[in-house]
Amino acid sequence: MLIRLRVKNYALIADMDISFRGGLNILTGQTGAGKSILIGSLNLILGEKASSEMVRSGEEEALIEASFDIVGRMPKSLSSYVCAGEPILLKRQVIRGGRSYAFINDHQVTIGKLKKVGEILVDLLGQHHHQSLLNVDNHRRLLDHFAMDDELLQKYTDQFEGLKRHQEILESLINADELTKERKELYRFQLQEINAAGLQSGEEKKLEQKVIVLRNAQKLKDTAREISYSLSEDDESVLNRLRGMLKAFESISELDNSLKEKAMQWKESIYSLEDIALDLSRYGDTINTDPEEFTRIDERLHLYRDFSKKYGPGYDSIIEYRDKISKKLSNLENRDEQIKDIDNKISFLRENVYDLGQKISIKRMTGSSELKKKIEAELEELGMKGTQFNVDIIPVSSNAGVEVTDGNDSCLAGKYGLEDIEFIISPNPGEPLKALAKIASGGEISRIMLALKTVLAKVDAIPLLVFDEIDAGIGGDIASLIGKKLKDLTQNHQIICITHLHQIASFADQHFQVRKGEKNGRTRTEVEQLTQEERVAEIARMIAGDEITDLTIEHARQFLQGTAEA
């Protein structure tokens, strides 16, 4: 719902700030007051093309801001700009010279993005490009929501997407035939090479340690023997001296029992050093200085380094690569089986898509017939008797379709079903039906759109509808009927309507008057919300023009009272 519209330095508008509410918001005013300027500013905020002529004379930039309150579920396309429950602010800035900028909640966006968001929030109905019903893509969506529930459509979408996905996989498998042969040979060679090497976890580190020992074998032998000799073999060895001191320690421990534990620790230390001395004397004999052993270990380490370059650093990476290509090789060798399996799935999905598509087609045919009757009945009430409306159901074209079958019959299927949908109409009896976009009259377009919106009110999710020129070429009872239908539409939408007819204006929940005046020697357009008494005066003006009498005022008051009770 639009809650606020601010327009600054746009055409004849200096600075205008309007607060809207739900229900029917009516804008009236004398011809030339600037109602079209207001529509122009709305078009701009909805992503239409900007020009430097839009900027008010003497100013450097124009600014239009529209604040919307999102009621219900947040559309996905808006969720990146605003959190649920927060208002959304659309802003358009036009710089003299022609440049323009777009913002959503103070995030700068492209004009295209602003337009897409605008299409979700507002439908501007009249002789304007920004109309959802002039977009053929919306016709299928609206008919489907009118004719069936979402569950059937979702089932079709799931099956169709599955069909497309499996067809892409199949095509990829078939096109990869030559590449498959080359990869098989490569993977087989690599698997054989890795498996033949007999790699072991932790082996590389052990080998690196062995190389260090072999390179320092003589130093290790000499140092070990020297330490062993100093510990136990020399006359003045460490152990001989410790044994001598042990005797003295034991003698004083006889005098003081508290020293006996320490003496025992001393004796155990001697035993430990004796073991170390013996191990060191034997250690030198265990070192292998055979050159062939060194060569074997070096070659083994070279193998690890070579594999690390080819398959990944270290044992774990090499084994991970081996397991990966083993799985790929298995998949490649089972390619024929895969193709057969996917082909079977495709056949199954083709039948499902065909079956669901036929069900959708039946509902569309039934729904389009019902929609035709309701739209034509609405148009007749709106003074367009003899207008023909139809839903053109066109089989999906060959360049956009996928062949589906039930085993006997076949047809082409698209993303949304077996056919494309377009609303067509002929406002003049005897004339051929045409696309909605080809209807020239702004008044006819507005009334046709009102009829469509009335019938499709519950399935049309756009919150704000703006009607312009809906009263062109009508009056009397039909004008009153249009006012009532606009009022009825407020059960599902917020409505803004620009009108010249008192029969429509009298149904307003909020009534605004557009005026052209002069301030500081400059012409300007202003908009003011009317009080109840001001509404009476405005309705009287719309009935009688400038020559308003007491009788006209009373007539206007009675008219407003009558519509309030309707």
Side-chain angles (χ1 to χ4, degrees):
M1 180 175 72
L2 178 64
I3 54 178
R4 179 172 175 255
L5 177 67
R6 187 187 179 200
V7 183
K8 185 176 181 181
N9 298 329
Y10 177 81
L12 294 178
I13 300 174
D15 195 351
M16 179 189 73
D17 199 333
I18 313 175
S19 294
F20 292 98
R21 293 200 300 269
L24 179 56
N25 297 269
I26 293 288
L27 287 91
T28 62
Q30 293 183 337
T31 301
K35 297 185 293 296
S36 61
I37 295 174
L38 194 61
I39 292 295
S41 68
L42 272 172
N43 261 322
L44 200 61
I45 204 70
L46 300 177
E48 291 300 319
K49 187 177 179 180
S51 68
S52 58
E53 288 79 11
M54 294 175 173
V55 181
R56 182 170 166 81
S57 175
E59 304 294 341
E60 290 302 313
E61 66 177 43
L63 181 69
I64 296 94
E65 293 180 343
S67 297
F68 292 85
D69 187 15
I70 307 300
V71 179
R73 189 173 63 179
M74 175 70 64
K76 288 183 180 179
S77 54
L78 301 182
S79 58
S80 58
Y81 300 102
V82 62
C83 298
E86 292 182 0
I88 185 166
L89 176 66
L90 305 186
K91 183 162 65 176
R92 188 78 180 272
Q93 184 181 24
V94 182
I95 310 297
R96 184 169 295 283
R99 288 179 296 128
S100 75
Y101 303 95
F103 301 86
I104 300 176
N105 276 28
D106 295 325
H107 295 277
Q108 187 169 350
V109 297
T110 64
I111 303 300
K113 181 65 178 178
L114 182 73
K115 191 166 187 173
K116 286 183 178 180
V117 170
E119 288 170 354
I120 297 170
L121 298 172
V122 183
D123 210 352
L124 200 129
L125 306 162
Q127 206 161 21
H128 306 279
H129 296 297
H130 187 89
Q131 296 191 57
S132 66
L133 287 168
L134 296 185
N135 183 348
V136 175
D137 292 339
N138 289 324
H139 297 180
R140 187 264 322 154
R141 180 180 58 80
L142 289 167
L143 174 63
D144 286 349
H145 285 319
F146 177 80
M148 69 194 89
D149 57 47
D150 290 340
E151 186 178 352
L152 177 59
L153 295 167
Q154 188 59 54
K155 283 181 180 178
Y156 177 91
T157 300
D158 292 343
Q159 294 296 302
F160 181 81
E161 289 178 353
L163 174 60
K164 291 284 287 182
R165 187 168 59 253
H166 280 81
Q167 285 182 323
E168 289 169 3
I169 294 170
L170 180 63
E171 185 178 357
S172 176
L173 285 170
I174 293 171
N175 291 340
D177 188 48
E178 289 303 315
L179 188 59
T180 297
K181 292 177 182 177
E182 294 176 6
R183 284 184 177 175
K184 277 183 183 179
E185 293 302 318
L186 175 63
Y187 290 162
R188 284 196 188 104
F189 169 79
Q190 291 176 334
L191 272 176
Q192 184 180 5
E193 183 179 50
I194 294 171
N195 288 332
L199 306 181
Q200 297 177 15
S201 178
E203 181 186 14
E204 187 176 11
K205 287 185 178 180
K206 291 178 182 178
L207 292 173
E208 288 172 345
Q209 184 60 39
K210 282 186 177 182
V211 167
I212 293 172
V213 170
L214 289 171
R215 284 177 177 165
N216 296 278
Q218 195 59 48
K219 181 179 179 181
L220 290 168
K221 281 186 176 186
D222 293 345
T223 303
R225 285 172 182 167
E226 183 180 336
I227 295 171
S228 178
Y229 181 79
S230 298
L231 275 173
S232 62
E233 297 178 26
D234 188 17
D235 292 340
E236 295 294 324
S237 68
V238 172
L239 283 168
N240 283 339
R241 293 171 63 193
L242 287 172
R243 291 187 191 104
M245 285 185 279
L246 176 62
K247 291 179 181 179
F249 205 160
E250 287 176 335
S251 66
I252 62 172
S253 68
E254 292 295 330
L255 300 174
D256 184 353
N257 288 336
S258 66
L259 295 174
K260 283 189 175 181
E261 185 179 348
K262 299 297 180 183
M264 185 59 68
Q265 291 176 1
W266 190 287
K267 185 182 286 188
E268 289 173 355
S269 297
I270 291 173
Y271 293 154
S272 295
L273 285 172
E274 287 175 344
D275 290 341
I276 291 171
L278 182 61
D279 289 343
L280 285 172
S281 68
R282 294 171 178 171
Y283 172 73
D285 298 331
T286 64
I287 297 176
N288 186 354
T289 56
D290 184 3
E292 291 184 2
E293 175 68 6
F294 182 83
T295 301
R296 186 190 68 79
I297 293 172
D298 190 57
E299 287 176 352
R300 187 70 173 168
L301 281 171
H302 182 76
L303 177 70
Y304 269 99
R305 295 187 190 104
D306 182 47
F307 277 21
S308 292
K309 289 179 183 177
K310 292 197 290 186
Y311 307 127
Y315 172 83
D316 290 339
S317 297
I318 296 166
I319 297 304
E320 183 182 347
Y321 179 80
R322 181 198 66 184
D323 294 343
K324 183 172 71 174
I325 62 171
S326 177
K327 185 176 180 180
K328 285 185 175 181
L329 184 60
S330 176
N331 289 339
L332 289 171
E333 288 176 341
N334 294 328
R335 192 179 65 88
D336 290 341
E337 192 64 33
Q338 283 180 291
I339 288 175
K340 183 179 178 182
D341 182 52
I342 290 171
D343 214 17
N344 288 335
K345 287 180 180 176
I346 287 174
S347 297
F348 175 75
L349 289 167
R350 282 187 198 276
E351 291 182 10
N352 281 359
V353 171
Y354 182 91
D355 179 58
L356 292 167
Q358 290 293 339
K359 290 177 180 177
I360 289 172
S361 296
I362 291 169
K363 287 187 176 293
R364 282 175 176 167
M365 292 294 291
T366 303
S368 64
S369 178
E370 185 180 352
L371 186 63
K372 170 184 169 65
K373 291 176 184 176
K374 289 189 174 184
I375 295 293
E376 288 181 347
E378 286 288 332
L379 289 169
E380 184 170 347
E381 286 187 25
L382 294 171
M384 296 182 68
K385 187 176 180 179
T387 296
Q388 297 179 71
F389 173 87
N390 212 340
V391 179
D392 203 2
I393 299 177
I394 310 157
V396 170
S397 61
S398 57
N399 60 345
V402 175
E403 186 176 0
V404 293
T405 180
D406 65 349
N408 297 314
D409 298 322
S410 63
C411 62
L412 294 174
K415 185 176 180 181
Y416 301 108
L418 309 183
E419 52 272 317
D420 295 320
I421 304 296
E422 183 174 9
F423 296 162
I424 52 176
I425 198 162
S426 173
N428 304 304
E431 293 297 313
L433 285 87
K434 299 178 182 178
L436 291 178
K438 294 183 179 178
I439 301 170
S441 165
E444 285 180 340
I445 289 177
S446 290
R447 274 179 281 163
I448 290 167
M449 295 306 172
L450 175 58
L452 286 164
K453 291 291 184 181
T454 299
V455 174
L456 299 170
K458 292 183 179 179
V459 298
D460 186 357
I462 299 174
L464 170 60
L465 307 182
V466 181
F467 287 91
D468 183 27
E469 301 185 46
I470 197 167
D471 52 11
I474 62 166
D477 292 340
I478 290 178
S480 294
L481 181 62
I482 288 176
K484 187 175 186 309
K485 288 187 177 294
L486 288 171
K487 185 77 169 181
D488 291 342
L489 269 178
T490 60
Q491 295 178 30
N492 296 286
H493 303 275
Q494 179 191 28
I495 307 292
I496 295 176
C497 177
I498 296 174
T499 183
H500 298 88
L501 298 179
H502 66 278
Q503 295 98 325
I504 296 174
S506 61
F507 282 92
D509 294 304
Q510 282 193 110
H511 191 158
F512 299 88
Q513 186 183 50
V514 183
R515 303 168 181 165
K516 183 185 287 185
E518 186 178 308
K519 187 175 182 179
N520 299 327
R522 296 198 62 186
T523 302
R524 57 194 292 162
T525 292
E526 296 177 335
V527 178
E528 183 180 346
Q529 184 176 352
L530 302 180
T531 64
Q532 184 61 27
E533 284 305 309
E534 289 170 335
R535 282 193 71 197
V536 172
E538 176 67 358
I539 295 295
R541 181 198 64 78
M542 297 174 77
I543 293 171
D546 293 331
E547 297 182 8
I548 300 173
T549 64
D550 291 342
L551 184 61
T552 310
I553 292 290
E554 182 58 29
H555 184 194
R557 199 181 303 279
Q558 291 176 0
F559 208 94
L560 283 169
Q561 185 178 350
T563 54
E565 295 171 354

